[in-house]
Amino acid sequence: MPFADSSMSAIPDTMHAAVYRGQSMVNVEEIPTPAIQAGEILIRVEACGICHTDLKKIEYNLLEPPRIYGHETAGVVAAVGAGATKFKPGDRVVAFHHIPCLECFYCRRKLYAQCPVYKRVGITAGFEPAGGGFSQYVRVMDWIVERGVEKIPEGVSFERATLVEPLNTCLKAVVQCDPQPEDFVVVMGQGPIGLMFTMLAHRTGSKVAATDTIAERREIAARCGAELAWDPRTEDIAGQVKKLTGGRGADLVIVAASAPGIVEQAIACSRPGARILLFAQTSATERIEASGADICVGERILFGSYSASVDLQAESARLVFSGELPVEELISHRLPLVKIRSGFDLALHPGPKSLKIIVQPQRWS
């Protein structure tokens, strides 16, 4: 039976974890509970969000097996290694799996996701470090303990806390985009990430329009701050935006989904001099076709943003924990670890009622 004791005194020798074994297969297995070293902590995982970054790695077999994925991790400190003084058993925490060195060429330019230390994964449940949150316990390495763990206030659910990491990635991008109160912003895609962008853009005072093919997501977008929400299959998005902006087009377009032609659509609905953020274009095989004149003559800025910023870690935690953003509305499913493959299917093939899917490793049914 899986360990589900709420006490900090009994840490089992073995635990259950969803192990990626290659060929796009993940199996829930019993494996040794990870041992920690000096400066490290062991977290009993209470909740971990399913992220499309991990799904791509599994679906396309991007990394060598075996691995245990999952990086939107929240839980309780179960044990601390020698010299680890920032946390104690019983602390409720959320942990980031990447933290930069803050000293290298890229860190000095605040391009943290390009830092060699940042690229090292600092949380594991076993095997090659890969986040490990799809398991009952994770080992958090010393450099992550030092700067990459935030305490969860009492009264905040573990499920809500898992949204700190994805919100950080969106907040980083929005800071980079710098939307102004008078801007017209289009957010393309209203999955969990797109909805976070809608919340954050609305918070700046910009007028936000959202697009998504799922009607229920467009309805949620309206509750998250979108003044307009369109189905890109039936609406002329560029025509609608230009009609509302005196014929100019959007000041900022955030591409929070990956679909054929979506970047071209983003360019078409933007004004000359606009900013166009690519956030979901993470596949090395994805190709984008655009008119050179649309970028050059139109003086548009086409740029990307990837992963989280350590500078915004505390602020992203505050926004989630305070309830200032309605992020808990994004959680549609809470599943036990044994049903994780059903969660993957839901995330890969979303229906009207599915948004953010949370795995709860201490549940067995």
Side-chain angles (χ1 to χ4, degrees):
M1 290 293 291
F3 177 74
D5 192 338
S6 62
S7 74
M8 292 296 103
S9 58
I11 299 171
D13 295 329
T14 62
M15 65 174 186
H16 286 84
V19 183
Y20 165 68
R21 289 292 182 183
Q23 298 183 325
S24 305
M25 289 300 299
V26 172
N27 300 314
V28 177
E29 303 176 14
E30 189 170 1
I31 64 170
T33 302
I36 59 172
Q37 301 175 13
E40 300 181 343
I41 62 175
L42 186 73
I43 295 177
R44 189 185 72 217
V45 181
E46 298 292 341
C48 184
I50 293 177
C51 173
H52 275 266
T53 301
D54 287 331
L55 294 183
K56 284 182 181 179
K57 292 172 184 174
I58 293 166
E59 187 177 11
Y60 298 108
N61 301 296
L62 299 182
L63 299 174
E64 287 294 316
R67 292 176 192 256
I68 300 168
Y69 288 112
H71 61 268
E72 299 172 358
T73 303
V76 180
V77 176
V80 298
T85 58
K86 292 187 72 172
F87 303 97
K88 65 183 184 302
D91 283 345
R92 306 167 76 246
V93 295
V94 59
F96 285 73
H97 63 314
H98 292 299
I99 289 294
C101 72
L102 301 181
E103 297 173 354
C104 71
F105 174 91
Y106 289 110
C107 283
R108 290 196 300 272
R109 288 155 179 80
K110 297 189 180 295
L111 293 167
Y112 298 126
Q114 311 309 318
C115 165
V117 172
Y118 188 92
K119 292 175 185 291
R120 292 170 56 198
V121 179
I123 301 181
T124 182
F127 312 113
E128 186 70 18
F134 300 148
S135 68
Q136 293 185 300
Y137 287 87
V138 292
R139 168 193 166 206
V140 182
M141 297 175 204
D142 54 359
W143 77 93
I144 303 290
V145 173
E146 186 61 29
R147 295 197 306 273
V149 180
E150 298 284 339
K151 289 185 179 179
I152 304 170
E154 290 300 322
V156 175
S157 71
F158 291 111
E159 293 74 35
R160 173 184 280 264
T162 64
L163 298 171
V164 170
E165 192 272 348
L167 185 78
N168 185 311
T169 68
C170 298
L171 182 60
K172 171 189 170 181
V174 169
V175 169
Q176 192 174 345
C177 292
D178 193 27
Q180 299 299 306
E182 68 275 11
D183 281 353
F184 191 103
V185 179
V186 177
V187 181
M188 294 187 158
Q190 293 297 292
I193 290 294
L195 288 164
M196 287 183 186
F197 273 122
T198 294
M199 294 176 194
L200 291 168
H202 170 69
R203 184 171 168 265
T204 69
S206 298
K207 182 171 184 174
V208 183
T211 74
D212 201 276
T213 60
I214 298 175
E216 286 79 2
R217 291 185 173 186
R218 297 195 299 273
E219 292 171 8
I220 296 173
R223 297 200 294 274
C224 292
E227 294 184 39
L228 303 146
W230 299 307
D231 185 339
R233 298 170 303 180
T234 60
E235 296 280 358
D236 174 8
I237 304 300
Q240 291 279 14
V241 173
K242 288 177 181 177
K243 187 188 303 181
L244 294 162
T245 56
R248 291 187 305 274
D251 302 289
L252 168 65
V253 184
I254 297 173
V255 185
S258 181
I262 196 169
V263 176
E264 294 90 325
Q265 186 180 67
I267 294 170
C269 74
S270 69
R271 65 162 170 81
R275 292 147 289 153
I276 301 166
L277 168 70
L278 306 187
F279 192 82
Q281 285 57 49
T282 57
S283 170
T285 62
E286 188 166 351
R287 294 293 178 264
I288 297 163
E289 288 190 9
S291 158
D294 282 341
I295 307 301
C296 179
V297 179
E299 297 184 306
R300 290 173 173 84
I301 300 169
L302 187 67
F303 64 104
S305 180
Y306 182 72
S307 203
S309 167
V310 67
D311 293 343
L312 298 169
Q313 187 173 292
E315 176 64 1
S316 62
R318 186 193 70 79
L319 287 170
V320 170
F321 297 155
S322 68
E324 187 172 323
L325 300 176
V327 292
E328 200 143 0
E329 185 168 354
L330 307 184
I331 300 172
S332 62
H333 293 77
R334 297 166 172 83
L335 301 175
L337 188 64
V338 290
K339 293 186 178 178
I340 192 167
R341 281 183 286 191
S342 297
F344 290 168
D345 288 340
L346 273 170
L348 288 168
H349 309 288
K353 302 296 184 184
S354 61
L355 273 169
K356 192 65 182 177
I357 298 154
I358 305 292
V359 175
Q360 297 173 313
Q362 305 304 323
R363 281 180 56 196
W364 203 241
S365 62

